[in-house]
Amino acid sequence: MTLPVTGRRPSIPELAERSAELIASLQDAGGAYPASPTFSAYAGYSWFRDGAFIADAMSAAGRAESAERFFDWCAGVLEARADRIAEVVAAAEAGTPVPDAEMLATRFTFDGREGDDDWWDFQLDGYGTWLWALGEHVRRHGADASRWRHAIELSVDYLVASWDRPCFDWWEEHAQHVHVSTLGCIAAGLRESLALGVLDPARSAAAAAAERSALARLGAEGEGVVGGHLAKWLGSDAVDASLGAVVGLLDVVPAGSPLGAATIERLEQELTVGDGVHRYLDDTFYGGGQWPLLSCFLGIAHARAGDAGRARELLAWAASTADADGAMPEQVGQHLLAPERVDEWVERWGPVAQPLLWSHAMLLRLAVELGDDEGVRA
Ligand code: BGC
């Protein structure tokens, strides 16, 4: 779908509508959402992380069928790996956890294979995030969760056995650490697995215990809180913009709580320049630019803390990153943390990913959050 040529920038509702249409038009027949249809390193793959947030945005925008097809795809990926998950669980219970290389992948081809390209597997967050998105969807639309029961059970078993393992973070980096936003995604997913009401009593008890433990590690005693705000990883005093999701959309730490407010404040002071949000201070990927999807996550946190005005400023900045065709990038280079590191990435992978479906999804999700999505709902 292309917008009518009007000679002006699209309004927020128009861009939100275009984003929903773009996502719908690019969703694979089997339900997978491509991360980016054209970017060399991402083409042909769907991530549980990106896809879960995309599904949540589509669900929130009234496109329940699209979200459900993505959940079906996730379920297919998980069910095809039921034996592997059983091995992971058995090894963890025996006190001899499997090596990282035998954990589940981070991204899959549209037909549910690992694919032939090396990637920074393993990452746990997506297996929590898809459960969270499913829980939100079922609550919102009253869908029958038993359709995904087996995949929910498999995800819970996998997370209960593995939640405290160090792994790559949202940015597929720093595998030696336990990342606070990864713990947040896992805690949100386990919380929603319980709310979905399809688990047997033993699994429910295990999910509840693992959720409590993940929340405890994410707190001050578990070194997830340093200097009064959430930390990038356990014991770090830095922040990472992915924490905006833990405080806002995932609602693991309430945005209006002292810890939520302190985290939002630190993200504003340290990572936000002119309404554009950096991932973290040491970022060098494509020079360490600003990510529209992160301005939207921070905007949702502000909206939930009661500051819709600040949320709208962040939304407007995210919208300003769209090109003349309305395509949103992964990041923009208006303010770079490491300008000398741009060329190496352009040589390696070509220009920055655009469109990135996750960017479109977060713009759509924040617009819905603020009620600025007039006309989007199908
Ligand atoms: C980001 C990931 C994302 C992937 C696909 C990577 O550059 O670090 O967070 O899942 O792109 O969009």
Side-chain angles (χ1 to χ4, degrees):
M1 179 239 188
T2 44
L3 284 172
V5 178
T6 58
R8 60 171 172 79
R9 291 196 71 81
S11 65
I12 299 281
E14 284 168 343
L15 191 55
E17 180 177 1
R18 182 188 160 82
S19 293
E21 286 297 324
L22 182 77
I23 291 166
S25 70
L26 291 173
Q27 185 172 18
D28 185 68
Y33 292 120
S36 173
T38 45
F39 186 61
S40 65
Y42 304 169
Y45 287 91
S46 180
W47 274 248
F48 267 50
R49 171 178 42 256
D50 300 38
F53 286 119
I54 296 166
D56 176 65
M58 294 296 269
S59 168
R63 296 183 181 246
E65 186 264 349
S66 169
E68 290 179 2
R69 287 202 292 119
F70 176 73
F71 299 139
D72 289 344
W73 178 81
C74 293
V77 167
L78 284 154
E79 286 163 11
R81 288 161 183 79
D83 290 347
R84 178 110 71 92
I85 291 171
E87 286 164 19
V88 168
V89 170
E93 284 173 355
T96 51
V98 304
D100 289 0
E102 289 170 32
M103 297 296 281
L104 299 183
T106 298
R107 61 179 201 168
F108 299 88
T109 58
F110 302 158
D111 60 358
R113 290 174 299 109
E114 276 77 2
D116 301 322
D117 308 292
D118 282 341
W119 201 253
W120 292 271
D121 301 311
F122 106 90
Q123 303 171 26
L124 283 169
D125 60 278
Y127 294 95
T129 314
W130 97 274
L131 285 176
W132 162 81
L134 179 60
E136 291 281 334
H137 174 78
V138 166
R139 185 177 297 115
R140 190 182 283 130
H141 292 284
D144 179 3
S146 62
R147 169 168 162 186
W148 300 284
R149 178 197 304 270
H150 189 204
I152 296 165
E153 292 170 347
L154 291 167
S155 301
V156 166
D157 293 350
Y158 184 67
L159 291 175
V160 165
S162 320
W163 68 270
D164 58 349
R165 290 179 65 135
C167 65
F168 287 106
D169 64 7
W170 274 30
W171 316 128
E172 321 191 282
E173 296 173 339
H174 303 113
Q176 69 275 32
H177 292 296
V178 174
H179 299 276
V180 173
S181 42
T182 299
L183 285 176
C185 292
I186 293 169
L190 291 171
R191 180 190 74 211
E192 293 304 325
S193 76
L194 291 161
L196 282 161
V198 296
L199 298 178
D200 59 64
R203 268 202 187 84
S204 292
E211 185 204 354
R212 273 196 305 276
S213 302
L215 289 173
R217 285 215 81 185
L218 190 145
E221 286 188 11
E223 291 191 289
V225 176
V226 179
H229 56 77
L230 291 174
K232 180 170 168 63
W233 58 67
L234 298 185
S236 161
D237 61 3
V239 282
D240 187 290
S242 57
L243 296 169
V246 181
V247 169
L249 192 54
L250 299 172
D251 197 23
V252 171
V253 171
S257 67
L259 179 56
T263 304
I264 292 171
E265 178 66 17
R266 184 77 193 267
L267 295 177
E268 284 280 2
Q269 284 172 3
E270 191 165 305
L271 297 180
T272 310
V273 179
D275 302 337
V277 178
H278 293 283
R279 298 195 297 180
Y280 59 98
L281 278 185
D282 292 333
D283 192 9
T284 59
F285 182 53
Y286 281 89
Q290 295 165 298
W291 289 48
L293 70 90
L294 292 175
S295 290
C296 295
F297 273 114
L298 184 58
I300 293 169
H302 275 294
R304 295 201 173 176
D307 191 349
R310 179 66 187 134
R312 286 205 168 85
E313 290 170 357
L314 291 159
L315 177 59
W317 182 86
S320 77
T321 66
D323 70 11
D325 296 326
M328 294 181 66
E330 182 176 63
Q331 61 171 291
V332 291
Q334 294 159 11
H335 183 269
L336 294 169
L337 296 168
E340 71 286 358
R341 304 292 298 274
V342 174
D343 291 352
E344 67 190 77
W345 284 102
V346 175
E347 277 159 30
R348 183 173 172 185
W349 282 353
V352 166
Q354 183 164 11
L356 186 88
L357 270 63
W358 191 10
S359 298
H360 283 277
M362 297 321 301
L363 178 127
L364 175 60
R365 186 65 188 81
L366 176 52
V368 171
E369 185 79 15
L370 290 167
D372 295 353
D373 60 322
E374 191 189 333
V376 178
R377 285 161 202 273

